[in-house]
Each structure stands twice: as structure tokens, then as C-alpha cells.
Amino acid sequence: MRNAERQSGFTFIELAITVAIVGLLATLVLPMTELVVKRDHEHELRLALREIRTALDAYKKAVNEGRVISEMGKSGYPPQLKVLVDGVTDEKSPDHNSKIYFLRRIPRDPMNPDSSKSDEETWGKRSYESSPDAPEEGDDVFDVYSQATDIGINGVPYKDW
């Protein structure tokens, strides 16, 4: 009866093998978890870029339709991203008191870790007059890009998205 009582538990070898297997599985899962987190951030970046770029295009369309006043000789794009949130007067409204809003808020660049910057400051801005290869800020905001220096899962740097 004593031998039966002693053999009812696990041996040290069995426990060591179990711990080794769990450790091996954990080392395989950790890189996958990092990849999932990176993929989520990239998805957020795509959505934020699409949202801002759609708003920029809607602003330009409103200028072309005469709903927003733009100075002669200007590109017709907003002078800063904040204008998309603050809204502009709809010149085609009967009382000229209505405003057109293009964004509820400026999305934050998910690749920018600096929490001291405002949402607008996390984005790089390209003016209409600057080249796509060397984007520079100017009198308007024609496009936005991520200021992150990392490279995406697809092999393209985030700043080129």
C-alpha cells in the first residue's frame, strides 16, 4: 500500500519536461503576439490616413463647388488640419451662418509614441507645392504622412504610406 501512495504524484522529470514544453510554446507565441500588435497599429494608421485624406479631398471639393471661399491663386486645400475640425462657413447656405465640418476630430498617428504632442502635431504635412519625394510644410495641407521611421510588415516605410 505504501508503494501505491508514493506513485500517485508526478516525478521531478515529468515536471521538468512539462515546464520545458510550456517554455518552448511561450517563446513561439511571443513573436506572434508582437506581430499582431504591429498589425493592429498598421491598421489604425491606414484608417487614420484614409480619414484625413478623405476630409482633405472633401474640403477641396467644397472649394471647387464654391461652398468655401479660397484666395485666388491658392491651391484650395486647408491652411491647417485644425480647419477640418473647426469647420468653415458654407457660402452657399441662404443665411451664410451654416458651417461645414469635415472631421469630428483629428486622428492621432498610432505610430507616434510622443504623448506630449497634440494629435495634429503627430502627422507630417505636405503642402501642394512640395514634391512627393521630399514633403515639406507650406501654406496649405495637401497630404499627411506618418513621421515614424520604422518599416511596415509589407516592407514599405510608414512615411511612404
Side-chain angles (χ1 to χ4, degrees):
M1 192 144 151
R2 284 186 167 183
N3 286 341
E5 288 178 10
R6 270 196 261 161
Q7 293 187 9
S8 63
F10 294 106
T11 65
F12 179 72
I13 300 277
E14 290 171 330
L15 289 174
I17 290 172
T18 303
V19 168
I21 290 172
V22 169
L24 178 65
L25 291 174
T27 58
L28 296 174
V29 169
L30 186 61
M32 293 301 291
T33 305
E34 291 173 356
L35 182 64
V36 168
V37 169
K38 187 172 184 175
R39 186 174 292 140
D40 286 345
H41 279 94
E42 288 185 1
H43 181 69
E44 289 176 36
L45 176 62
R46 275 190 202 94
L47 292 177
L49 286 169
R50 183 175 299 133
E51 185 177 1
I52 294 173
R53 289 172 175 164
T54 301
L56 290 169
D57 292 341
Y59 184 95
K60 174 67 171 160
K61 182 179 178 186
V63 167
N64 291 345
E65 293 172 349
R67 295 180 69 193
V68 176
I69 298 293
S70 179
E71 292 181 35
M72 192 64 130
K74 296 287 185 174
S75 68
Y77 287 95
Q80 53 187 327
L81 289 178
K82 190 175 185 227
V83 171
L84 302 173
V85 175
D86 294 343
V88 291
T89 304
D90 185 354
E91 296 298 324
K92 288 202 172 178
S93 70
D95 59 357
H96 295 289
N97 286 336
S98 298
K99 280 192 154 189
I100 307 171
Y101 298 95
F102 301 95
L103 285 174
R104 291 185 182 169
R105 65 174 184 79
I106 298 170
R108 186 171 193 80
D109 180 356
M111 300 301 176
N112 192 319
D114 190 354
S115 61
S116 66
K117 290 185 174 183
S118 70
D119 294 343
E120 184 175 356
E121 292 172 332
T122 60
W123 296 103
K125 295 157 202 79
R126 175 181 162 217
S127 73
Y128 183 75
E129 296 175 353
S130 72
S131 73
D133 298 332
E136 295 178 3
E137 289 190 35
D139 295 336
D140 58 12
V141 180
F142 172 68
D143 193 15
V144 293
Y145 59 93
S146 179
Q147 295 178 340
T149 57
D150 298 338
I151 296 176
I153 295 171
N154 61 0
V156 178
Y158 294 132
K159 64 182 177 73
D160 295 338
W161 284 25

